[in-house]
Amino acid sequence: MADSKSQKLRQTALPYPYRENGLSLKLEGCQVEGEQPVEFDEERESSTVDLAVDESDPWERATLRGEVTLPEEVVESVFPPDERSSPPGKLYVAVRCPDAIYRDRVDVDTSGTEGCVDPGVHDVEVSLRSDRLREEVRLIPFLVRSSEGESDGTFATTPNVRLASGEPWTVVVDEEEENGNSLIDGEEAEFSEHDHLPGEKRLYHLDFRNADSPKLWINSDHSRIVDILHANGSVGAEARMRDVVLDQIQQGVWSQLVMRAISDVDEEGEPRHDWEQAVLNIFARDLTDEDDVARASIQLREELDDPEGVAVLMERLDGSIQDYIDPRDQLINLVEEGLQL
């Protein structure tokens, strides 16, 4: 009953039907490179796979095998009637590792007409490399449109817009360290009391005084906002507001990190600092047509040096960061929370 209510609210908040939890991802087995495949228990209820690295016997590559199920009722609810016989959609599994700022996607083999997806069960394989990941990886199934459609004001018509998603699976890559290893450090302070921080009206400040280890400062002069940032849980008005505020901060912080990283790239495509390489690993290829991070980084540095190319680069960067942090979902959650008040 709760799921039905949630689904109704999601369709109300979006200008088109969207089926949250409309897809089902089921992992059936795993193979670590050089070892025998392991089949998962069909009766297992857990959606967590433990591949924690053993320091005495680390793995480099692992392949997870599973299925993504697209129900007929989901197709009927997100595509207009004249498209349902050959739905213009595609399935993929998003691979997200926040602690390693790694983001990728794996297309699901639908083995049907190109650009179309049929309802039913579809096989998928997800390959992971331990050197690119840290702590936990989330695997999330999505259905998106594959081509533009005719608008009747009801259904989504824009290519690549998401139409449905499913519950994620979690893959534990290694044990969480007590102190963690985040990309940048964060700390709260009253900006009004410190000369090295900007004025008290600022919400946050990204500090590059130590270029090898940037630091994010949050202004505790704004006590109510800081209280929201400390909200616990994943549901409720304060948790939803927390996620939206964090997304707003992330948008500005990522912009600075990416631009700083690009500006430090040398002739070989190598930046000066480790954190810059991590940033380029996730964004450089998405911002260019290059598959190699070093070549992509060189191209971005050339664009940054071209006054006419900077504006175009900034436009692409804004879109890439929006895709990465996906602020739409958090805003929708906040809207849905408001509709229940």
Side-chain angles (χ1 to χ4, degrees):
M1 197 71 177
D3 288 342
S4 175
K5 180 179 180 182
S6 175
Q7 181 58 49
K8 182 178 180 180
L9 288 170
R10 176 56 59 96
Q11 292 193 20
T12 302
L14 282 170
Y16 56 84
Y18 180 90
R19 288 297 299 271
E20 185 178 31
N21 298 332
L23 306 178
S24 173
L25 171 63
K26 179 183 179 182
L27 296 183
E28 300 177 320
C30 173
Q31 182 174 15
V32 175
E33 189 175 37
E35 299 182 5
Q36 292 295 319
V38 175
E39 299 294 324
F40 298 151
D41 185 349
E42 292 186 2
E43 303 300 323
R44 66 180 287 162
E45 298 181 357
S46 173
S47 58
T48 298
V49 177
D50 190 351
L51 296 179
V53 173
D54 183 345
E55 293 185 1
S56 64
D57 186 25
W59 58 270
E60 295 183 2
R61 296 176 183 270
T63 301
L64 296 162
R65 176 177 51 80
E67 299 174 337
V68 175
T69 301
L70 171 60
E72 178 78 41
E73 63 181 36
V74 172
V75 170
E76 293 177 352
S77 65
V78 300
F79 291 103
D82 61 347
E83 292 183 340
R84 292 170 188 167
S85 59
S86 297
K90 54 186 176 182
L91 294 166
Y92 71 87
V93 174
V95 183
R96 296 177 178 173
C97 182
D99 290 288
I101 61 167
Y102 180 82
R103 191 171 189 265
D104 199 2
R105 57 186 285 175
V106 177
D107 290 334
V108 176
D109 182 14
T110 54
S111 62
T113 306
E114 184 175 356
C116 296
V117 59
D118 294 326
V121 180
H122 305 279
D123 295 333
V124 64
E125 285 191 355
V126 179
S127 295
L128 303 177
R129 286 179 49 175
S130 61
D131 61 342
R132 295 181 177 179
L133 308 169
R134 186 163 64 243
E135 296 188 8
E136 293 185 351
V137 179
R138 281 162 51 88
L139 307 179
I140 312 167
F142 286 102
L143 168 68
V144 298
R145 279 197 66 96
S146 58
S147 61
E148 189 170 356
E150 296 183 2
S151 175
D152 66 353
T154 302
F155 295 92
T157 58
T158 305
N160 296 315
V161 69
R162 292 175 181 171
L163 303 177
S165 59
E167 289 287 344
W169 277 67
T170 299
V171 181
V172 180
V173 177
D174 52 33
E175 298 299 335
E176 183 177 357
E177 297 181 12
E178 185 175 347
N179 296 323
N181 278 319
S182 58
L183 179 67
I184 59 174
D185 292 328
E187 188 173 333
E188 296 172 9
E190 296 179 353
F191 285 15
S192 59
E193 300 297 323
H194 297 274
D195 292 337
H196 70 277
L197 296 173
E200 62 186 67
K201 290 185 178 180
R202 297 284 185 88
L203 174 60
Y204 65 90
H205 173 65
L206 191 54
D207 188 352
F208 287 101
R209 289 179 300 166
N210 179 4
D212 193 49
S213 181
K215 188 168 187 175
L216 175 63
W217 296 90
I218 300 295
N219 188 359
S220 58
D221 285 322
H222 306 298
S223 58
R224 187 66 186 103
I225 296 177
V226 172
D227 289 344
I228 289 294
L229 292 177
H230 286 293
N232 294 318
S234 58
V235 296
E238 289 200 344
R240 301 307 191 191
M241 286 188 282
R242 174 204 61 205
D243 293 341
V244 170
V245 173
L246 286 173
D247 281 348
Q248 180 182 357
I249 294 173
Q250 281 195 74
Q251 186 78 30
V253 169
W254 278 120
S255 295
Q256 294 185 61
L257 292 175
V258 174
M259 295 302 286
R260 181 68 67 113
I262 293 173
S263 67
D264 274 349
V265 168
D266 62 21
E267 294 180 355
E268 302 298 323
E270 299 290 335
R272 297 180 186 177
H273 309 289
D274 290 343
W275 68 264
E276 292 175 327
Q277 186 62 64
V279 169
L280 292 171
N281 285 345
I282 190 61
F283 285 105
R285 287 170 294 185
D286 189 51
L287 290 168
T288 67
D289 294 327
E290 295 285 354
D291 292 327
D292 180 75
V293 174
R295 290 198 300 268
S297 300
I298 293 172
Q299 179 180 323
L300 292 170
R301 177 57 193 265
E302 292 173 350
E303 289 188 63
L304 189 62
D305 291 338
D306 178 7
E308 296 183 359
V310 173
V312 178
L313 172 59
M314 290 301 298
E315 181 180 355
R316 296 204 312 276
L317 176 59
D318 180 77
S320 183
I321 293 174
Q322 285 194 53
D323 289 342
Y324 182 76
I325 64 177
D326 203 5
R328 183 195 64 173
D329 280 357
Q330 309 301 348
L331 284 169
I332 291 171
N333 289 336
L334 182 59
V335 170
E336 289 179 349
E337 194 70 42
L339 290 173
Q340 297 180 67
L341 298 177

